[in-house]
Amino acid sequence: MSKNKSRSAILLIYCPDRTGLVASVTNFIGKYGGNILYLDQHVDLEKKVFFMRVEWDLENFKIENSKIGAEFDINVGKKFMMKWELSFSDDKLRMALFVSEMPHCLYDIISRYHAGEWHVEIPAIISNHTTLNNVAEKFSLPYYVFPIDKDNKKEQEAKQMELLKDLNIDFIVLARYMQVLSDEFISYYPNKIINIHHSFLPAFPGAKPYHSAYARGVKIIGSTSHYVTAELDAGPIIEQDVVRVSHADSISDLIRKGRDLEKVVLSRAVWFHVQRKILAYDNRTVIFT
Amino acid sequence: MSKNKSRSAILLIYCPDRTGLVASVTNFIGKYGGNILYLDQHVDLEKKVFFMRVEWDLENFKIENSKIGAEFDINVGKKFMMKWELSFSDDKLRMALFVSEMPHCLYDIISRYHAGEWHVEIPAIISNHTTLNNVAEKFSLPYYVFPIDKDNKKEQEAKQMELLKDLNIDFIVLARYMQVLSDEFISYYPNKIINIHHSFLPAFPGAKPYHSAYARGVKIIGSTSHYVTAELDAGPIIEQDVVRVSHADSISDLIRKGRDLEKVVLSRAVWFHVQRKILAYDNRTVIFT
Amino acid sequence: MSKNKSRSAILLIYCPDRTGLVASVTNFIGKYGGNILYLDQHVDLEKKVFFMRVEWDLENFKIENSKIGAEFDINVGKKFMMKWELSFSDDKLRMALFVSEMPHCLYDIISRYHAGEWHVEIPAIISNHTTLNNVAEKFSLPYYVFPIDKDNKKEQEAKQMELLKDLNIDFIVLARYMQVLSDEFISYYPNKIINIHHSFLPAFPGAKPYHSAYARGVKIIGSTSHYVTAELDAGPIIEQDVVRVSHADSISDLIRKGRDLEKVVLSRAVWFHVQRKILAYDNRTVIFT
Amino acid sequence: MSKNKSRSAILLIYCPDRTGLVASVTNFIGKYGGNILYLDQHVDLEKKVFFMRVEWDLENFKIENSKIGAEFDINVGKKFMMKWELSFSDDKLRMALFVSEMPHCLYDIISRYHAGEWHVEIPAIISNHTTLNNVAEKFSLPYYVFPIDKDNKKEQEAKQMELLKDLNIDFIVLARYMQVLSDEFISYYPNKIINIHHSFLPAFPGAKPYHSAYARGVKIIGSTSHYVTAELDAGPIIEQDVVRVSHADSISDLIRKGRDLEKVVLSRAVWFHVQRKILAYDNRTVIFT
């Protein structure tokens, strides 16, 4: 994915913690003339794991983009058993949107895309319903319908996966997509599928969380964006936010207030992902802000 | 509990919803010269229950305090099958504090009491440990120790209840008291025992919620004050609040941040209770703010 | 604006405080068979002003819609010197949107409108630039351009006002419209023009608040929606919200985080207005929630 | 202040930004066997200033504590024109508390101190009133009264400064101290005096901010802790927080809600200061969290 005229390079790293890690990485960058724009690191002292995000200006960097990864691995990565991921600030990630019948997250994402807030492409909006086709059409975005029922789920998912592969999709956003993805599907996109769940997880997983929140009489409701894993609503959390409610709020008030949370929390998660600011590890996320 | 020179009367009411409820109550007050200072009502449209809090100035009110309740019941309450509770703004509620070994909530409550923030008496601080006796002593508050183990729980609780009765206690605050009260104890104080749980309920009930929150990787932690019922951490919620955390926060950071939440959330709940601003119904609370 | 088959009537009232106000209003409604769905009142004890919002079901109400106002005024309003405003839940307010070049609030409003979140009509989007015409077009909404410079402002405003009058506009939303309206314009729409200011007012009024917030080193930024009055950014506040920032956030980060606040805070204000939940008095608002 | 058996060393650094800074610092630490526990850095890209906080384990560090500063300066600091400050995790800062008549912040601070939340000494509580002497006495803390009026301010401040010097005070906390300190006083403690202002600065500086907030009709109130500089309420902000209010809140409700904010926001600021997590630069703060 590397190109030759990127403005900056971004390296996400994790490895067993030991002395000299930061120095080794920054020495490598400095040695070839890279000017560090951003560096953040985190050490999980309990598990003894080191996490780092470093971004540097490529203007005077002496290694060409296509060789940076290999050079880094030989000089630094292998020595410290690093898992690393290199990207460039002008790479445009290709995002697929999965939706069902509720439009608020879709509208929010498309309007950000259209206003140029995010550096992404949207090659596909995928749904099990035709309902939101009219939204996609307004913005001339391709809309694919895969109606799913009990009998055809496996087969429809296979078609979805084929489409995603054909379109060279980098990551998937479930914008209130009401279907549960199969483990197989999920396994193809580890930490690449972002979901929004309309509760403050781990409270109220599963269906109808606003109804449950109302019944429990909570004074605050929330929304949670997370990477999808095989266990439902249990993947690594990327972002959460909350809003105050009271006895005076009916279930429909919770739904109304929750919609605003959902769209903002989902969009923040997408933004972190697109900016390569997330490292998921052991079902938790490190978010470099 | 009524006296003759109260400044204002407070009536908390709930009953089946029907037309004419607000008019009947306000007509009763107006007819005897009461000037309404505060009125708030709420209708649970789903369950068809009406809730109301009304407070009026007693200066020119023509019924003497000791007879207001009976007059109200005859004129209004019975007709609408109202459950109601009358109190007076200068009644001083008697609060018992239950603590264990952590001092932050105790300090917060005592300092509010000492600064005159609340209109209460504290006739007893009760603990299963001697640890916080020194705090009580500083403020010359009576501190009673009832060490509890597996074998003596029933017997010790009986003694606690006797003490509470002797001291004419109106309500109980569990200020990080780490013991589970028996169903029998709880049944004596329905909606009169306020607990603080150090999580955003219903997430992480039970022991060690900060450890669970850390393991789950949440981005926000919370605190919940609620009335104690037979089911652990499942009583009607009075107040909740949250604070943002990140991957950089260790468990001890969560505990540190959580302490500030706990004391504020518990104290808000006590304040609502003391101001007679809470109606608990069907495991939810109406909070008249 | 009244019709015969409204589902409910909404009365917003304020007047000098005295005894018997709530009873008089609720007696009037009850006498004619109205079932109160919602009642909230507030007394400003300092200024001795009474505020009330009451909503009742019209199904069995014995006065026809077109006569309710007059009957209320004769029976109750005049007696208490009430200022009141009657509306019906199925009235559809006609909203004009004023925009300039930033699309985020416009997108947010249009998508809510299109998704049916609000019970309004949008007969006009008005701008001093052609920039956002493409957004309006996508949703087939009429877009009017009135380019404004130093010399033609008065004349262009006159044309805008004529258009608003022709279109029978009920209220105006300034969705990041960057022009200051003249006092004359404002005087035609008292408490009918909602603005979003991108700061936590009264901090940082006027131009470039994010730049000022950055320079001041605040740890939280905010957004404020308010009714427009002759004094710039000083009208009655309807809603505010905030988001945490840090030293790591550049001005462009503040702008990015602020955009999400702006659209949510503006939309909440519009929702309150459309639901007739706002009474503005003495440069403050009573919001019946 | 260095000792020989510290558990960890903390270095706060700022200097003009250039390549190689992180590598130089971490190389220095690594070369002498230090294991980095925490590293965070920030670059102000606009002003081209580099900020860093690094903390390392001293167990196997080969330079003795008293020589670390000099060695660092020779090897790294001078070369990059660094301003730096070295401290050790077991240094106990000596804090003076200035109070007036309101007790809530004082109680909060003393109870944290007493519960061992902070690693500090409190050699003096200083006041212009005798009011809070009883609080100090309860905790056996020395309480000094310097009554201040228009005529004796200069002279009393001189005595205060002498006392602070005698007691070897490291930093000062103004816990709702209602006096304005002279420029001279302030100049002796640059970025060493922490104030709590009871508004969301820069809104409502100066006296009676809750009254001003009420009059302006804000929907959110705040609290701000900052370092004191010559210009009133205009020093670098350390921490802010807010709480929602409504039309139903009177001025005394704002004061009540604000008290809880004040104590929490002040205590967070003190905690950051004690943990050496703050770098103040150009009237802004970098807070390493």
Side-chain angles (χ1 to χ4, degrees):
Chain A
M1 267 200 285
S2 64
K3 295 150 198 174
N4 263 316
K5 291 184 182 176
S6 302
R7 279 164 317 196
S8 65
I10 299 157
L11 204 46
L12 283 169
I13 301 165
Y14 71 88
C15 63
D17 190 32
R18 44 173 283 196
T19 58
L21 288 165
V22 175
S24 297
V25 174
T26 58
N27 283 338
F28 169 80
I29 295 168
K31 184 175 150 192
Y32 295 101
N35 183 30
I36 292 176
L37 299 170
Y38 173 97
L39 180 153
D40 198 5
Q41 53 89 254
H42 167 63
V43 178
D44 184 326
L45 292 170
E46 203 190 336
K47 289 175 193 140
K48 305 201 185 308
V49 182
F50 171 86
F51 302 88
M52 186 174 187
R53 183 184 189 276
V54 61
E55 183 166 356
W56 68 96
D57 195 327
L58 290 166
E59 201 183 341
N60 301 311
F61 199 60
K62 286 167 203 148
I63 308 175
E64 65 176 279
N65 288 6
S66 64
K67 295 183 179 167
I68 295 174
E71 284 296 311
F72 177 76
D73 205 42
I74 292 164
N75 285 277
V76 186
K78 285 213 165 69
K79 185 175 160 193
F80 296 102
M81 292 176 293
M82 286 174 176
K83 306 251 180 192
W84 55 268
E85 201 184 307
L86 176 70
S87 54
F88 298 95
S89 64
D90 55 4
D91 291 345
K92 237 182 192 175
L93 290 183
R94 296 170 67 79
M95 165 169 75
L97 288 175
F98 279 56
V99 299
S100 191
E101 297 190 287
M102 270 167 299
H104 55 288
C105 289
L106 176 62
Y107 270 126
D108 194 61
I109 288 170
I110 296 186
S111 58
R112 287 172 198 271
Y113 164 73
H114 205 254
E117 289 188 26
W118 294 338
H119 193 62
V120 296
E121 294 289 353
I122 305 182
I125 299 172
I126 291 171
S127 182
N128 53 334
H129 291 281
T130 56
T131 319
L132 300 180
N133 189 18
N134 68 11
V135 182
E137 265 179 2
K138 280 187 210 314
F139 293 84
S140 309
L141 291 168
Y143 189 86
Y144 301 88
V145 183
F146 296 88
I148 287 178
D149 56 35
K150 284 168 196 166
D151 301 323
N152 71 359
K153 184 167 176 170
K154 193 163 180 167
E155 167 191 337
Q156 292 291 61
E157 270 203 349
K159 286 183 192 165
Q160 288 176 341
M161 284 190 276
E162 208 184 310
L163 176 66
L164 296 173
K165 207 179 153 191
D166 286 353
L167 293 173
N168 204 17
I169 292 299
D170 291 308
F171 75 110
I172 294 165
V173 174
L174 308 183
R176 297 300 312 274
Y177 182 62
M178 306 301 281
Q179 298 294 313
V180 177
L181 302 175
S182 71
D183 291 5
E184 197 204 342
F185 188 119
I186 294 166
S187 71
Y188 279 97
Y189 292 95
N191 298 326
K192 304 270 185 208
I193 308 174
I194 301 173
N195 185 42
I196 180 73
H197 183 74
H198 41 314
S199 85
F200 187 84
L201 288 175
F204 312 124
K208 300 219 169 227
Y210 292 126
H211 291 73
S212 306
Y214 180 86
R216 181 63 190 89
V218 295
K219 298 301 185 186
I220 288 174
I221 57 168
S223 242
T224 305
S225 54
H226 62 94
Y227 285 127
V228 174
T229 56
E231 193 183 341
L232 186 67
D233 297 333
I237 292 170
I238 302 169
E239 172 69 347
Q240 301 188 292
D241 212 341
V242 297
V243 71
R244 202 162 268 277
V245 296
S246 83
H247 63 271
D249 289 305
S250 64
I251 291 174
S252 68
D253 290 320
L254 301 196
I255 292 171
R256 173 178 53 83
K257 290 186 169 186
R259 269 197 305 258
D260 282 6
L261 275 184
E262 291 163 32
K263 67 191 195 190
V264 168
V265 169
L266 177 57
S267 287
R268 280 191 210 141
V270 172
W271 190 84
F272 286 135
H273 186 91
V274 170
Q275 298 293 111
R276 285 82 165 178
K277 285 181 171 278
I278 313 178
L279 262 175
Y281 177 83
D282 206 15
N283 216 42
R284 305 173 85 240
T285 59
V286 173
I287 310 281
F288 297 103
T289 49
Chain B
M1 264 200 287
S2 64
K3 294 149 200 176
N4 264 318
K5 293 186 184 173
S6 301
R7 280 163 315 194
S8 64
I10 299 156
L11 203 45
L12 283 170
I13 300 165
Y14 71 87
C15 63
D17 190 31
R18 45 174 283 197
T19 59
L21 288 164
V22 175
S24 297
V25 174
T26 58
N27 283 337
F28 170 80
I29 295 168
K31 184 176 149 192
Y32 294 102
N35 183 30
I36 292 176
L37 299 170
Y38 172 98
L39 180 154
D40 198 5
Q41 53 87 257
H42 167 63
V43 178
D44 184 327
L45 291 171
E46 203 190 337
K47 291 175 191 137
K48 306 203 184 306
V49 182
F50 171 86
F51 303 87
M52 186 175 186
R53 184 184 187 275
V54 61
E55 184 166 355
W56 68 98
D57 195 328
L58 289 167
E59 202 182 339
N60 301 311
F61 199 61
K62 287 168 203 147
I63 308 176
E64 65 175 278
N65 288 5
S66 64
K67 294 183 179 166
I68 295 174
E71 285 296 312
F72 177 77
D73 206 41
I74 291 164
N75 285 278
V76 186
K78 284 213 167 67
K79 183 176 160 192
F80 296 102
M81 290 177 294
M82 287 176 175
K83 307 253 180 190
W84 56 267
E85 201 185 307
L86 177 70
S87 54
F88 298 95
S89 64
D90 55 4
D91 291 345
K92 237 183 191 174
L93 291 183
R94 296 170 66 80
M95 164 169 77
L97 288 174
F98 279 56
V99 299
S100 192
E101 299 190 287
M102 269 166 301
H104 56 288
C105 289
L106 177 63
Y107 270 126
D108 194 61
I109 288 170
I110 296 187
S111 58
R112 288 171 197 270
Y113 164 73
H114 205 254
E117 288 187 27
W118 295 337
H119 194 61
V120 294
E121 295 290 353
I122 305 182
I125 298 172
I126 290 172
S127 182
N128 54 334
H129 291 281
T130 56
T131 319
L132 300 181
N133 189 18
N134 69 12
V135 181
E137 267 179 1
K138 280 186 210 315
F139 293 85
S140 309
L141 291 169
Y143 189 87
Y144 301 87
V145 182
F146 296 89
I148 287 177
D149 57 35
K150 285 168 197 166
D151 302 324
N152 71 358
K153 183 166 177 170
K154 194 165 181 167
E155 166 191 337
Q156 292 290 63
E157 270 203 349
K159 289 184 190 163
Q160 289 176 343
M161 283 190 276
E162 207 184 311
L163 177 66
L164 295 173
K165 208 179 151 191
D166 287 353
L167 293 173
N168 203 17
I169 293 299
D170 291 307
F171 75 109
I172 294 165
V173 175
L174 307 184
R176 294 301 311 274
Y177 182 62
M178 306 302 280
Q179 299 293 314
V180 176
L181 302 175
S182 72
D183 292 4
E184 197 202 342
F185 188 119
I186 294 165
S187 71
Y188 279 96
Y189 292 95
N191 297 327
K192 304 270 185 208
I193 308 174
I194 300 173
N195 185 42
I196 181 73
H197 183 73
H198 42 313
S199 84
F200 187 84
L201 287 176
F204 313 124
K208 300 218 169 230
Y210 293 126
H211 290 73
S212 306
Y214 180 85
R216 182 62 190 90
V218 295
K219 298 301 184 186
I220 288 174
I221 57 168
S223 241
T224 305
S225 54
H226 61 96
Y227 285 128
V228 175
T229 56
E231 192 183 340
L232 185 68
D233 298 332
I237 292 170
I238 302 169
E239 172 68 347
Q240 302 187 291
D241 212 343
V242 297
V243 70
R244 203 161 267 277
V245 296
S246 82
H247 64 270
D249 289 305
S250 64
I251 290 174
S252 68
D253 290 319
L254 301 197
I255 291 171
R256 172 178 54 81
K257 290 184 169 185
R259 270 196 305 258
D260 282 6
L261 275 184
E262 292 163 31
K263 66 191 196 191
V264 169
V265 169
L266 177 57
S267 287
R268 280 190 210 142
V270 173
W271 190 83
F272 287 134
H273 186 91
V274 170
Q275 299 292 111
R276 286 79 165 181
K277 286 181 171 277
I278 313 178
L279 263 175
Y281 177 83
D282 204 16
N283 216 42
R284 305 173 86 240
T285 60
V286 174
I287 310 281
F288 297 104
T289 49
Chain C
M1 265 202 286
S2 65
K3 295 148 200 179
N4 263 318
K5 294 184 181 175
S6 301
R7 279 161 318 192
S8 64
I10 299 157
L11 204 45
L12 283 169
I13 300 165
Y14 71 89
C15 63
D17 190 32
R18 46 174 284 196
T19 58
L21 288 164
V22 175
S24 297
V25 175
T26 58
N27 282 338
F28 170 80
I29 295 167
K31 185 175 150 192
Y32 295 102
N35 183 30
I36 292 176
L37 299 171
Y38 172 98
L39 180 153
D40 198 5
Q41 53 89 255
H42 167 64
V43 178
D44 184 327
L45 292 170
E46 203 190 336
K47 289 176 193 139
K48 307 204 185 305
V49 181
F50 171 86
F51 303 88
M52 186 174 186
R53 183 183 187 276
V54 61
E55 183 166 356
W56 69 97
D57 194 328
L58 289 167
E59 202 182 340
N60 301 311
F61 199 60
K62 287 167 203 148
I63 308 175
E64 66 176 277
N65 288 5
S66 63
K67 295 183 178 167
I68 295 174
E71 284 296 311
F72 177 77
D73 205 41
I74 292 163
N75 285 277
V76 186
K78 284 214 165 66
K79 184 175 162 193
F80 296 103
M81 292 176 292
M82 287 175 175
K83 307 253 180 189
W84 55 268
E85 200 184 308
L86 176 70
S87 53
F88 298 95
S89 64
D90 54 3
D91 291 345
K92 237 184 191 173
L93 291 183
R94 296 170 67 79
M95 165 170 76
L97 288 174
F98 279 57
V99 299
S100 192
E101 298 190 286
M102 269 167 299
H104 55 288
C105 288
L106 177 62
Y107 270 125
D108 194 60
I109 289 170
I110 296 187
S111 58
R112 287 171 198 271
Y113 164 74
H114 205 254
E117 288 187 26
W118 294 338
H119 194 61
V120 295
E121 295 289 353
I122 306 183
I125 299 172
I126 290 172
S127 181
N128 54 333
H129 292 281
T130 56
T131 319
L132 300 180
N133 189 19
N134 69 11
V135 182
E137 266 179 2
K138 280 186 210 316
F139 294 84
S140 310
L141 291 168
Y143 189 87
Y144 301 87
V145 182
F146 296 89
I148 287 178
D149 58 34
K150 284 169 197 166
D151 301 325
N152 71 357
K153 183 165 177 170
K154 194 164 182 168
E155 167 191 339
Q156 292 290 63
E157 270 203 349
K159 287 182 191 166
Q160 289 176 341
M161 284 190 274
E162 206 183 312
L163 176 65
L164 296 173
K165 208 180 152 191
D166 286 353
L167 294 173
N168 203 17
I169 293 299
D170 292 306
F171 75 109
I172 294 165
V173 174
L174 308 183
R176 297 300 311 274
Y177 182 61
M178 307 301 281
Q179 299 292 315
V180 176
L181 301 175
S182 72
D183 292 4
E184 197 203 343
F185 188 119
I186 294 165
S187 71
Y188 279 97
Y189 291 95
N191 298 326
K192 304 270 185 208
I193 308 174
I194 300 174
N195 185 41
I196 181 73
H197 183 73
H198 42 313
S199 84
F200 187 84
L201 288 175
F204 312 124
K208 300 219 168 226
Y210 292 127
H211 291 73
S212 305
Y214 180 86
R216 182 63 190 89
V218 295
K219 298 300 186 187
I220 287 174
I221 57 169
S223 240
T224 305
S225 54
H226 62 95
Y227 285 128
V228 174
T229 56
E231 193 182 340
L232 186 67
D233 297 333
I237 292 170
I238 302 169
E239 172 68 347
Q240 301 189 289
D241 212 342
V242 298
V243 71
R244 203 162 266 278
V245 296
S246 83
H247 63 271
D249 288 305
S250 64
I251 290 174
S252 68
D253 289 320
L254 301 196
I255 292 171
R256 173 178 53 82
K257 290 184 169 187
R259 269 196 306 258
D260 282 6
L261 276 184
E262 291 162 32
K263 66 190 195 191
V264 168
V265 169
L266 176 57
S267 287
R268 281 190 209 141
V270 172
W271 191 84
F272 287 135
H273 186 90
V274 170
Q275 298 293 111
R276 284 81 165 179
K277 286 181 170 277
I278 313 178
L279 263 176
Y281 176 83
D282 206 15
N283 216 42
R284 305 174 84 240
T285 60
V286 174
I287 309 281
F288 298 102
T289 50
Chain D
M1 267 201 284
S2 64
K3 294 149 200 176
N4 264 317
K5 291 184 183 178
S6 301
R7 279 164 316 196
S8 65
I10 298 157
L11 204 46
L12 283 170
I13 300 165
Y14 71 88
C15 62
D17 189 32
R18 45 174 283 196
T19 59
L21 288 164
V22 176
S24 297
V25 174
T26 58
N27 283 338
F28 170 81
I29 295 167
K31 183 176 151 192
Y32 294 101
N35 183 29
I36 292 174
L37 299 170
Y38 172 97
L39 180 152
D40 198 5
Q41 53 88 255
H42 168 62
V43 178
D44 184 327
L45 291 170
E46 203 190 337
K47 289 175 193 141
K48 306 201 184 307
V49 182
F50 172 86
F51 302 88
M52 186 175 186
R53 184 184 186 276
V54 60
E55 184 166 356
W56 68 97
D57 194 327
L58 289 167
E59 201 182 341
N60 301 311
F61 200 60
K62 287 166 201 148
I63 308 176
E64 65 175 278
N65 288 4
S66 64
K67 294 183 180 167
I68 295 174
E71 284 296 311
F72 177 77
D73 206 42
I74 291 163
N75 284 277
V76 186
K78 284 213 165 69
K79 185 176 160 193
F80 296 101
M81 292 177 293
M82 287 175 175
K83 307 252 179 191
W84 55 268
E85 201 184 308
L86 177 70
S87 53
F88 298 95
S89 64
D90 54 4
D91 291 345
K92 238 181 191 175
L93 290 184
R94 295 171 65 80
M95 165 169 76
L97 288 175
F98 279 56
V99 299
S100 192
E101 298 190 286
M102 269 166 298
H104 56 287
C105 288
L106 177 62
Y107 270 125
D108 194 61
I109 289 171
I110 296 186
S111 58
R112 287 172 197 270
Y113 164 74
H114 205 254
E117 288 187 27
W118 293 338
H119 193 61
V120 295
E121 295 289 353
I122 305 182
I125 298 172
I126 291 171
S127 182
N128 53 334
H129 292 280
T130 57
T131 319
L132 300 180
N133 189 18
N134 70 11
V135 182
E137 266 179 2
K138 280 187 209 314
F139 293 85
S140 309
L141 291 169
Y143 188 87
Y144 301 87
V145 182
F146 296 89
I148 287 178
D149 57 33
K150 284 169 197 167
D151 301 325
N152 72 359
K153 182 165 178 172
K154 192 164 182 168
E155 170 190 336
Q156 292 291 64
E157 270 205 347
K159 287 182 190 164
Q160 288 176 341
M161 284 191 274
E162 207 184 312
L163 176 66
L164 296 173
K165 207 180 153 191
D166 286 352
L167 293 173
N168 203 17
I169 293 299
D170 291 307
F171 75 109
I172 294 164
V173 174
L174 308 183
R176 296 299 312 272
Y177 182 61
M178 307 302 281
Q179 299 292 314
V180 175
L181 302 175
S182 71
D183 292 5
E184 197 202 343
F185 188 119
I186 294 165
S187 71
Y188 279 96
Y189 292 94
N191 298 326
K192 304 268 185 210
I193 308 174
I194 300 173
N195 185 42
I196 180 73
H197 183 73
H198 42 314
S199 84
F200 187 84
L201 286 175
F204 313 124
K208 299 218 169 231
Y210 293 126
H211 290 74
S212 306
Y214 180 85
R216 182 62 189 89
V218 294
K219 298 301 184 186
I220 287 174
I221 57 168
S223 242
T224 305
S225 54
H226 62 94
Y227 286 128
V228 175
T229 55
E231 193 183 341
L232 186 67
D233 297 332
I237 292 170
I238 302 169
E239 172 68 347
Q240 301 188 291
D241 212 342
V242 297
V243 70
R244 204 161 267 278
V245 296
S246 83
H247 64 270
D249 289 305
S250 64
I251 290 174
S252 68
D253 290 319
L254 300 197
I255 292 171
R256 172 178 54 83
K257 290 184 169 187
R259 270 196 305 258
D260 283 5
L261 275 185
E262 291 163 31
K263 67 190 196 191
V264 168
V265 169
L266 177 57
S267 287
R268 279 190 211 143
V270 172
W271 190 84
F272 287 135
H273 186 91
V274 169
Q275 299 292 112
R276 285 80 165 179
K277 285 181 171 279
I278 313 178
L279 263 174
Y281 176 83
D282 205 15
N283 216 43
R284 305 173 86 240
T285 60
V286 173
I287 310 280
F288 297 103
T289 49

